Amino acid sequence: MIRLSIQTRHALSRTTLPVLVVWSLALMLLGQADRRLAQQARAAVADALAPAYAVLRVPVSGLRSTAGEALGLFDLAAENHRLRADNRRLLQWREVALAATAENAGLKATLHWLPDPAAHVATARVVAETGGIYARAFLVNAGSLQGLHKGEVVMDAQGLVGRVTETGPRSARVLLVTDMTSRVPVMLETSHASAMLAGANRPAPRLLYYPDDVRPEEGERVLTSSEAGAFPAGLPVGIVHYRGPGDPVVLPAAGLDHLDLVRIIDFGLSGIVPPDAPGHVAPGNRPGEPHIGPRAASGAASGAASGSASGAGQRPVSIGRG
């Protein structure tokens, strides 16, 4: 061990912070000067750290599971009663679903209905919640070597999570719908009115650009829209909730706070791709700005979608196909 004098140690302690600040500014300038190089560097770092994140996640997941099981022991009786009631209701709905399935099949045969092409699905595990140039994003342990591409749609078991913004050989970064740069064209289920889902770095993204003569209802389901070719129509996004008078937000259907396994889906679309930097948010689409009427909605929706509503990849995914 090298012994340093007290004066040397004091000098090093005083210069450490300025050196780190200068180094950070240099990295920021380099990233703005050559964004392609910066993106490749981020992908390389993500690939290098993804295995370490995966190893560190194992004990944390184990502790969470153990704690959850310990707490669940106190509610076994109530849980058993609730499950029996749910089972009875599910059996009733099963009969309804079977009848509806038979009727639907008959109508399709009568109308000579042509089904949509099957989407290619890959399943990946979330290994880290790291934003990079985004505030709300995470890494998955699959990348271009497994057939993932920029722009593919990411979902969990309940609903839409986000889209792939960057891919490395063995990892990919996913932008959440709650990020400030995220814009998703959506449709209100009851009125079939088009709108825009705008992230605000909060748990609930805002609902913007719906028509003036439409008022989203509390609890109304929100689905993806096929406008701009960025998303297929009908993917579950969440439900409407009013944070205040005239301020509707959407409570996401996906469990964004505890993501583990996600599905990365290639729908064969070629719509708008994600942005290269969070500064590319079209004017008039930032959180806190007023609602735009129906005439401006169509133009603003396509412009706002360029913020981060991304296009799905063109080649099929090679792992975990569904």
Side-chain angles (χ1 to χ4, degrees):
M1 180 177 179
I2 301 177
R3 295 184 177 180
L4 301 175
S5 64
I6 296 177
Q7 293 80 2
T8 304
R9 288 199 296 268
H10 284 314
L12 289 175
S13 65
R14 286 194 298 268
T15 57
T16 299
L17 181 59
V19 169
L20 291 176
V21 171
V22 172
W23 178 246
S24 300
L25 293 175
L27 290 177
M28 292 173 60
L29 293 176
L30 179 62
Q32 292 296 324
D34 192 343
R35 292 181 178 174
R36 183 179 181 85
L37 177 62
Q39 181 175 351
Q40 292 175 350
R42 284 195 301 270
V45 172
D47 283 340
L49 294 180
Y53 287 140
V55 172
L56 293 175
R57 187 180 180 85
V58 172
V60 175
S61 300
L63 289 175
R64 288 179 179 176
S65 177
T66 302
E69 292 176 358
L71 293 175
L73 293 176
F74 297 99
D75 301 325
L76 283 179
E79 185 73 10
N80 193 28
H81 179 74
R82 186 184 65 82
L83 289 175
R84 285 198 178 106
D86 288 345
N87 190 41
R88 288 193 296 269
R89 285 193 297 268
L90 288 175
L91 289 175
Q92 296 172 357
W93 280 109
R94 178 179 180 274
E95 298 301 325
V96 175
L98 290 175
T101 300
E103 181 183 6
N104 194 26
L107 291 174
K108 288 179 179 179
T110 303
L111 297 173
H112 303 286
W113 179 75
L114 297 177
D116 295 330
H120 298 283
V121 182
T123 301
R125 186 177 297 277
V126 177
V127 296
E129 297 178 0
T130 171
I133 62 174
Y134 304 109
R136 301 292 176 93
F138 61 84
L139 290 177
V140 296
N141 62 348
S144 58
L145 293 179
Q146 288 76 34
L148 302 190
H149 299 88
K150 182 177 179 179
E152 291 178 340
V153 178
V154 181
M155 301 183 67
D156 70 354
Q158 286 77 37
L160 181 67
V161 171
R163 305 196 78 180
V164 176
T165 59
E166 295 179 10
T167 57
R170 292 176 297 276
S171 68
R173 178 173 278 107
V174 176
L175 178 69
L176 295 177
V177 295
T178 53
D179 188 87
M180 183 174 289
T181 63
S182 176
R183 298 293 186 272
V184 179
V186 296
M187 178 183 65
L188 301 175
E189 185 180 47
T190 304
S191 62
H192 299 284
S194 298
M196 183 66 65
L197 187 76
N201 290 348
R202 295 177 179 176
R206 298 188 64 194
L207 191 64
L208 303 175
Y209 307 119
Y210 51 88
D212 287 334
D213 57 348
V214 173
R215 184 183 187 278
E217 299 177 3
E218 180 76 24
E220 183 176 4
R221 292 184 69 216
V222 179
L223 309 174
T224 56
S225 170
S226 59
E227 291 192 27
F231 290 86
L235 299 181
V237 177
I239 60 174
V240 175
H241 171 67
Y242 277 87
R243 191 171 51 189
D247 186 17
V249 297
V250 176
L251 303 179
L256 302 182
D257 293 333
H258 47 274
L259 291 169
D260 185 19
L261 292 176
V262 294
R263 294 177 296 165
I264 304 170
I265 309 174
D266 179 8
F267 287 101
L269 301 175
S270 57
I272 302 170
V273 297
D276 292 328
H280 294 180
V281 180
N285 297 336
R286 295 181 175 86
E289 296 191 357
H291 154 64
I292 294 180
R295 293 190 177 182
S298 58
S302 58
S306 65
S308 73
S310 47
Q314 296 300 313
R315 290 184 289 176
V317 180
S318 60
I319 61 172
R321 295 192 175 182

